[in-house]
Amino acid sequence: MSLATPPLAAAMPGDAQVQAALQAAEAGQPYDPAAVASSPVAGWVEYASLRRNIDSLPPQRGQDFLARYRGQAVAEAFRQVWLPALARRQDWTSYLAAWSPAVQDTSLRCVALNARQALGQIDAGWTSDAQAIWRSSGKSLPPECDPVFALLAARGGLPPALRWERIDKAAGEWQPAVMRAAARGLPADEAALANDYASFFEAINERALNWPKTDRSRWMASQGLARLAKSVPVAAEAQLPKYAQALGFTDADRGRVLYQVALQSASSYEPEGARRLAAVPLSAYDDKLHELQVREAIARSDWAGALAAIRRMGDAQRSQARWTYFEARLSELTGDKAGAQALYAKAATKPEFHGFLAADRIDQPYTLCPLIPHDTPAAKDAVAQTPALIRALALYRIDRRGWAQREWDDALSRFSDDQRRIAVGLAEDAGWFDRGVFGLVNVGGKSYPDESRLYLLRFPMHHDATIRREAQRNGLDPAWVAGEIRSESVFDPKARSSANARGLMQLLPGTGAEVARKLGLPWGGADSLYDPDTNITLGSAYLRQLLDKYGKPYQTIAAYNAGPAPVARWTSQRPTMDPDFWIETISYKETREYVARVLAFSTIYDWRLNGNAAHLTDRMNGVASGKRIAFTCPLATPPKQ
């Protein structure tokens, strides 16, 4: 299966002119607005020009821009830089004229309240808005809010109850400085107590033994001890009994401390982990601690303990493919083979890492039910003609990704679910492949689980010929290389991480240079990693080098993500552990999920490339058995859109 560069990925007429105009505008050089007037992103060129001289921009010109582009993403982008500029000038009339209630930035919201105060617009609404910001967080708020809160207090808008509300929230966030700041307007005796609470967070002290025996004191003491537990669990555990007895801790108070003690100990599989997990009241357990208790027991090969921990989970968590699979594995290891078979069959219905492993255990085909939409040309055309989407794709073509994202979000806010899905397809046709990840399944805080079956959108393929060539050259499965690329960059050749890893396979420049040297290839510098052919060539060779070092693909994948030192530690701690258990007990959540993800993605790319797949168990172990497994959909008639 060979995929050429999508037709819409090529530069459209006008892109070069837009890029030149943008570069001139940002450099403060003259450009001809008429040359880009017909471009869908002409507003962004003007935005770039206005932003450069934002502090001297005449107010009327700024207002005109907001009016002309009202309702568009570019207007909101401009507002974000225009409002601070007006604040620096203290032009409060223009600030409020440019204001929008949709602005969420806390500092700008506080400046708006300062503007209203300066113009004499203080009323019940002002007080309510100021109080809403006060109670919005237990963390430190921007300095622009300080004069707002000072005026609010002077007007009687911060009664003790409201101050205590913020102090309690700050305690929940382990923020003693915020607690002290909020306490400044309390009556003297209350302020003294609040400050003593804050002192306990900074250094555990025995004055707390004489605090009033109230729910608040218990909350403060337990939160302070929990904060200590995060850094020194043994000290928090030792201190807990005397404070619990003196203040009359409830199970919830004790659980708050013991939760952190157990979390910090068991996460690194320390010797005291099991005991400390068992000491946490069941009422204090959440999904994270339930999972940790299972992993900690597996790390000690305590199969019965791990099985019991799974069975203490809530129904929703326990029914996840991961834990259904491990319940089956542990049931099998503890003698319940019949029960294990039923659980394997249940887990095998899920098209993910643990579902594929479960299918291997009972020799069943892999479950995969692709959802193939059948959209009419009219429906596609209607979405394609959406102005915001047109602007998003135009900006993406010229590598203005932040702006493209703004337009994309604006477009999606107006789309139905079907239109959003069509937009993802159009974006991928234009080479914007990560929209299949960020535009489906979980979008805008909502979940669309059926969209997980849109495999052709969620698992794009590109540079297929290069992937096959370099995989063959290095003795790798091309589906594995594709799975790595999907996990690392979602086929974005210009991806760059905060650690400076670059390109499709996210190589560090130093790694790229070293691999090129070993291969005897010329090194074109760090930016050469943005070239797809170069990146895949060097990335595949690097993957081969790691595989030669570690021998097993699952450990190789872990090393690709976490580096050699952690993998050496995990291997020395559990040298003979089965691969599925070894992966599950990786102490870095990111790496644990990464290994499972790459292996599952490799299986799905095998399906995309070949229609069937190597057994995931063989793939995980690097066994070239040649056996392939089919995919099946248990749905008699898969629903279509």
Side-chain angles (χ1 to χ4, degrees):
M1 186 181 298
S2 179
L3 295 179
T5 301
L8 292 182
M12 293 177 63
D15 286 354
Q17 293 94 319
V18 171
Q19 285 179 311
L22 272 171
Q23 291 169 357
E26 290 175 329
Q29 297 171 352
Y31 70 95
D32 181 9
V36 295
S38 62
S39 167
V41 297
W44 287 98
V45 178
E46 185 178 355
Y47 162 76
S49 176
L50 298 182
R51 185 178 62 174
R52 177 177 173 80
N53 299 303
I54 196 73
D55 284 320
S56 58
L57 188 70
Q60 189 57 52
R61 190 171 179 192
Q63 286 303 117
D64 289 345
F65 184 88
L66 288 174
R68 277 188 288 116
Y69 293 102
R70 181 178 290 112
Q72 293 187 26
V74 70
E76 297 313 308
F78 176 74
R79 199 187 314 274
Q80 292 293 318
V81 296
W82 182 225
L83 288 173
L86 292 171
R88 289 191 290 272
R89 305 181 201 182
Q90 298 188 5
D91 184 349
W92 304 127
T93 299
S94 296
Y95 190 96
L96 294 182
W99 178 252
S100 167
V103 173
Q104 295 298 311
D105 183 271
T106 301
S107 63
L108 295 179
R109 289 169 63 200
C110 282
V111 173
L113 289 168
N114 287 324
R116 287 159 67 181
Q117 180 271 329
L119 297 176
Q121 299 177 14
I122 296 182
D123 53 17
W126 185 96
T127 299
S128 177
D129 291 345
Q131 289 175 334
I133 295 174
W134 170 268
R135 54 166 43 108
S136 65
S137 172
K139 295 183 178 179
S140 181
L141 292 168
E144 291 85 356
C145 297
D146 292 346
V148 173
F149 296 150
L151 181 58
L152 183 64
R155 293 175 55 82
L158 286 179
L162 207 55
R163 290 187 178 276
W164 278 112
E165 181 180 334
R166 182 154 166 77
I167 291 168
D168 289 340
K169 282 188 176 180
E173 298 283 358
W174 299 342
Q175 297 285 323
V178 176
M179 294 169 67
R180 292 185 186 281
R184 288 182 188 132
L186 288 171
D189 56 339
E190 294 184 42
L193 181 59
N195 280 304
D196 209 29
Y197 287 154
S199 296
F200 190 76
F201 280 77
E202 294 161 342
I204 302 301
N205 62 77
E206 294 192 351
R207 293 194 305 277
L209 299 173
N210 298 313
W211 286 349
K213 295 183 179 181
T214 62
D215 288 344
R216 176 169 283 130
S217 290
R218 287 185 281 272
W219 162 253
M220 296 293 178
S222 62
Q223 281 294 108
L225 288 167
R227 186 184 192 225
L228 174 64
K230 189 171 178 63
S231 55
V232 194
V234 64
E237 185 180 37
Q239 296 270 29
L240 174 59
K242 67 180 178 183
Y243 293 100
Q245 182 177 6
L247 296 171
F249 273 20
T250 64
D251 276 354
D253 299 319
R254 291 179 62 256
R256 202 169 289 125
V257 182
L258 292 172
Y259 178 99
Q260 286 295 334
V261 170
L263 184 66
Q264 303 310 315
S265 305
S267 294
S268 301
Y269 306 125
E270 295 177 5
E272 291 292 305
R275 179 186 65 76
R276 287 171 174 166
L277 281 164
V280 181
L282 188 58
S283 59
Y285 265 72
D286 59 6
D287 286 359
K288 178 189 286 188
L289 213 61
H290 279 300
E291 292 185 7
L292 184 56
Q293 190 170 42
V294 178
R295 292 190 183 102
E296 192 280 334
I298 290 175
R300 293 183 290 105
S301 299
D302 178 4
W303 311 135
L307 182 59
I310 290 177
R311 290 174 175 168
R312 281 191 288 272
M313 292 176 170
D315 290 344
Q317 184 180 19
R318 184 178 171 185
S319 65
Q320 294 171 9
R322 178 194 301 266
W323 302 117
T324 303
Y325 169 78
F326 280 114
E327 187 174 0
R329 273 283 269 141
L330 296 163
S331 295
E332 191 171 32
L333 286 169
T334 53
D336 183 8
K337 293 187 177 180
Q341 290 292 301
L343 288 165
Y344 282 136
K346 181 181 177 183
T349 64
K350 306 293 185 181
E352 53 191 84
F353 176 65
H354 296 95
F356 297 147
L357 287 181
D360 284 353
R361 287 276 169 179
I362 54 177
D363 196 24
Q364 284 190 0
Y366 291 164
T367 295
L368 201 74
C369 291
L371 187 61
I372 310 297
H374 293 276
D375 302 302
T376 66
K380 292 181 180 179
D381 187 61
V383 174
Q385 296 305 315
T386 304
L389 183 61
I390 292 172
R391 291 191 292 268
L393 297 181
L395 289 165
Y396 186 81
R397 284 197 308 272
I398 61 173
D399 203 25
R400 297 288 174 151
R401 300 189 175 202
W403 297 353
Q405 182 69 52
R406 283 179 174 270
E407 292 285 7
W408 173 266
D409 292 342
D410 183 47
L412 259 59
S413 71
R414 309 166 195 271
F415 285 159
S416 68
D417 293 343
D418 284 346
Q419 289 173 322
R420 171 172 50 80
R421 175 180 43 72
I422 291 171
V424 168
L426 292 170
E428 291 198 357
D429 287 344
W432 197 357
F433 295 117
D434 71 2
R435 297 303 87 187
V437 175
F438 300 114
L440 298 171
V441 185
N442 295 297
V443 186
K446 294 183 180 180
S447 179
Y448 304 90
D450 212 38
E451 292 181 352
S452 65
R453 294 170 49 213
L454 294 166
Y455 294 107
L456 300 186
L457 289 177
R458 294 181 55 238
F459 293 90
M461 289 202 308
H462 202 33
H463 310 295
D464 182 48
T466 306
I467 289 172
R468 288 183 183 276
R469 182 193 72 221
E470 295 306 318
Q472 182 178 23
R473 188 196 307 272
N474 291 284
L476 300 171
D477 181 353
W480 181 7
V481 178
E484 288 284 352
I485 294 172
R486 167 62 165 75
S487 299
E488 290 287 348
S489 67
V490 198
F491 284 85
D492 178 2
K494 294 185 179 179
R496 183 173 180 176
S497 76
S498 58
N500 199 30
R502 303 182 181 206
L504 293 173
M505 298 186 74
Q506 288 291 276
L507 294 175
L508 291 168
T511 301
E514 177 63 16
V515 174
R517 185 189 64 77
K518 289 182 178 179
L519 295 178
L521 296 176
W523 171 240
D527 284 353
S528 69
L529 293 174
Y530 293 130
D531 173 69
D533 275 10
T534 299
N535 195 283
I536 295 171
T537 297
L538 298 178
S540 298
Y542 178 57
L543 199 58
R544 179 73 246 182
Q545 291 173 16
L546 291 177
L547 183 58
D548 290 342
K549 177 178 180 179
Y550 293 101
K552 301 292 187 182
Y554 68 94
Q555 293 181 348
T556 299
I557 296 168
Y560 198 96
N561 177 260
V567 173
R569 181 171 68 252
W570 300 327
T571 304
S572 66
Q573 290 169 342
R574 297 177 290 285
T576 61
M577 183 164 278
D578 288 349
D580 54 350
F581 288 143
W582 191 92
I583 294 168
E584 190 57 37
T585 52
I586 290 173
S587 55
Y588 294 176
K589 179 182 178 182
E590 177 189 336
T591 304
R592 181 171 64 244
E593 295 181 351
Y594 178 86
V595 174
R597 185 165 59 246
V598 170
L599 287 166
F601 288 0
S602 300
T603 299
I604 293 173
Y605 274 108
D606 215 351
W607 165 74
R608 285 218 61 181
L609 289 163
N610 303 301
N612 55 20
H615 284 264
L616 191 146
T617 302
D618 289 344
R619 181 187 303 280
M620 183 167 61
N621 284 287
V623 175
S625 67
K627 295 179 180 179
R628 308 285 293 178
I629 191 164
F631 288 83
T632 184
C633 176
L635 299 176
T637 306
K640 296 180 179 180
Q641 294 187 357

